[in-house]
Amino acid sequence: MGLEEKLPAGFALTTVEQVVGLARKSSMWPATFGLACCAIEMMSAGGPDYDIARFGMEKFGATPRQADLMIVAGRVSQKMAPVLRQVYDQMPEPKWVIAMGVCASSGGMFNNYAIVQGVDHIVPVDMYLPGCPPRPEMLLDAVLKLHDKVQNTKLGAHREQEIAETEERMLRRSLPLVDKD
């Protein structure tokens, strides 16, 4: 017997965090950073066959100041790395990053001095998208998974606590178990 049963029809109960999460996930504007063949697949995701606009992402902006999602598509050279970081730093908070393709995720087949072996050495990555090149359907799936992550992100002090708990959990997972006797 909760409050929901006592309200008249047409009322919905929610929290501010849920409303903000819904607004953020429904209005993501990506900053494109297409560097290689993966960029062609990213562009086709915006076309009529896949229509990324149905997720509120029809504005692929060339300006980082109006974007909150960076899609790094393709290999990142050492010369391009500072530019990528500068574009990321110019994006307003909160911001998210998708590493699209095996070259952006881990350097791919280019294991040499000129290519960065994973864009996560430059910017923090929220979603890794494998494939060479990944299909537009895979990009849409990664966007949907990122939407779930964004919608469930906490706000304010709760967010800082969630980040600290996640870091502690990851640290415990990576360290060997030691008895405290």
Side-chain angles (χ1 to χ4, degrees):
M1 208 57 174
L3 181 63
E4 295 87 10
E5 288 86 22
K6 296 181 181 179
L7 288 175
F11 279 87
L13 297 177
T14 187
T15 63
V16 173
E17 285 181 344
Q18 290 175 339
V19 171
V20 170
L22 180 67
R24 281 184 179 166
K25 88 165 195 160
S26 300
S27 64
M28 272 193 182
W29 286 358
T32 59
F33 212 85
L35 300 169
C37 47
C38 293
I40 303 299
E41 299 293 327
M42 179 178 62
M43 287 181 241
S44 68
D49 289 340
Y50 301 102
D51 193 21
I52 202 165
R54 60 190 155 147
F55 302 113
M57 299 176 66
E58 62 270 359
K59 183 190 173 292
F60 275 88
T63 173
R65 290 180 178 88
Q66 297 175 352
D68 48 7
L69 169 65
M70 176 185 278
I71 302 174
V72 182
R75 59 189 179 272
V76 180
S77 65
Q78 295 288 350
K79 286 179 120 180
M80 189 58 75
V83 176
L84 177 81
R85 183 62 197 204
Q86 182 179 13
V87 169
Y88 177 80
D89 289 339
Q90 290 175 353
M91 292 170 58
E93 287 288 340
K95 50 191 167 187
W96 298 277
V97 177
I98 293 178
M100 182 176 177
V102 71
C103 294
S105 299
S106 65
M109 65 197 91
F110 304 101
N111 189 12
N112 60 33
Y113 66 92
I115 302 298
V116 175
Q117 298 301 306
V119 75
D120 54 353
H121 292 285
I122 305 162
V123 295
V125 175
D126 296 294
M127 188 72 55
Y128 294 94
L129 183 56
C132 183
R135 298 281 306 142
E137 297 95 347
M138 295 172 69
L139 178 59
L140 293 178
D141 184 55
V143 165
L144 289 175
K145 289 179 181 173
L146 186 63
H147 279 179
D148 290 340
K149 180 179 179 179
V150 168
Q151 186 169 8
N152 297 322
T153 300
K154 305 249 184 243
L155 297 175
H158 299 293
R159 180 183 168 122
E160 293 170 3
Q161 179 184 1
E162 181 183 41
I163 291 170
E165 289 173 358
T166 303
E167 287 176 355
E168 184 179 335
R169 187 172 51 248
M170 296 303 284
L171 184 62
R172 267 191 265 127
R173 187 182 309 165
S174 64
L175 293 176
L177 296 174
V178 179
D179 292 332
K180 296 183 179 181
D181 292 335

